[in-house]
Amino acid sequence: MSYPEQPVSFSERSGSPQSTPVAEPLTAKVIAALRRGGAFLVVGAIGFLVDAGTYNLLVFWGGEGVLYHAPLPAKIIAIAVATVVTYFGNKWWTFGHKKSDNPGREYLLYAIFNVVAIGLQLGCLGFSRYVLDLSSPLSDNISGTLIGQIVAVVFRYWAYDKFVFVGSSDSMANDKQP
């Protein structure tokens, strides 16, 4: 009686202790990281538009907006509005695979890291306004919105992934089930 031949991996045939599936989890991790990074950038782009739009309305609407002479408070308001938008985008899309056991902790850390990120953005805008003495719409948008946003986005992604959205992953939970 003959039995159907079972597939044999290259490592079993060659006697190599390494198995070929090692590349598959690495590929899956890279693809997942690219998807997460892409989602984070889309959410960030929406936040960028909300931030820039709110700031420009407050500071430059009609030539001199209501907060023209108070650009830092205007930037704080703009960032706060954008933060609300990006929180929900990141919570439900970018890091939606991580389920939180303690939402209060998550909200608190999100707020703390956003305050730090706001400081980074304000530092860029303040440097441009008060050290370089630049106050045009172009210089404000380059320093506070573009450069400040880039620095803050890199910081936020790192902080959110490492400290804020750290709950167990759906895929990890599914792997542990029989």
Side-chain angles (χ1 to χ4, degrees):
M1 175 181 247
S2 82
Y3 295 98
E5 187 175 316
Q6 294 292 323
V8 178
S9 72
F10 176 74
S11 62
E12 290 172 341
R13 281 188 229 141
S14 66
S16 169
Q18 284 186 332
S19 62
T20 54
V22 171
E24 291 171 337
L26 179 60
T27 303
K29 287 180 182 179
V30 168
I31 290 170
L34 289 173
R35 284 185 181 151
R36 226 177 7 260
F40 188 79
L41 290 176
V42 168
V43 170
I46 293 167
F48 175 84
L49 293 174
V50 170
D51 178 357
T54 304
Y55 180 80
N56 282 295
L57 284 173
L58 292 171
V59 177
F60 300 113
W61 182 261
E64 288 188 14
V66 295
L67 293 177
Y68 180 79
H69 296 290
L72 296 182
K75 192 63 176 172
I76 291 169
I77 293 167
I79 293 169
V81 172
T83 296
V84 171
V85 171
T86 59
Y87 173 79
F88 290 107
N90 284 317
K91 171 73 176 157
W92 294 331
W93 188 25
T94 308
F95 299 103
H97 65 287
K98 294 182 176 184
K99 302 301 175 201
S100 175
D101 296 335
N102 189 347
R105 176 195 160 281
E106 188 177 273
Y107 300 142
L108 178 64
L109 287 175
Y110 189 86
I112 289 169
F113 286 120
N114 272 294
V115 167
V116 172
I118 288 169
L120 293 171
Q121 282 187 269
L122 290 177
C124 293
L125 178 61
F127 181 80
S128 173
R129 273 278 178 134
Y130 303 116
V131 174
L132 301 177
D133 199 28
L134 302 171
S135 61
S136 71
L138 180 62
S139 64
D140 276 7
N141 282 293
I142 288 173
S143 63
T145 306
L146 183 64
I147 295 170
Q149 190 77 279
I150 290 169
V151 170
V153 162
V154 170
F155 170 75
R156 283 181 175 122
Y157 184 78
W158 170 78
Y160 295 169
D161 190 46
K162 295 293 180 197
F163 302 107
V164 179
F165 300 112
V166 294
S168 61
S169 293
D170 288 341
S171 63
M172 289 174 57
N174 291 339
D175 291 345
K176 292 180 182 179
Q177 293 177 356

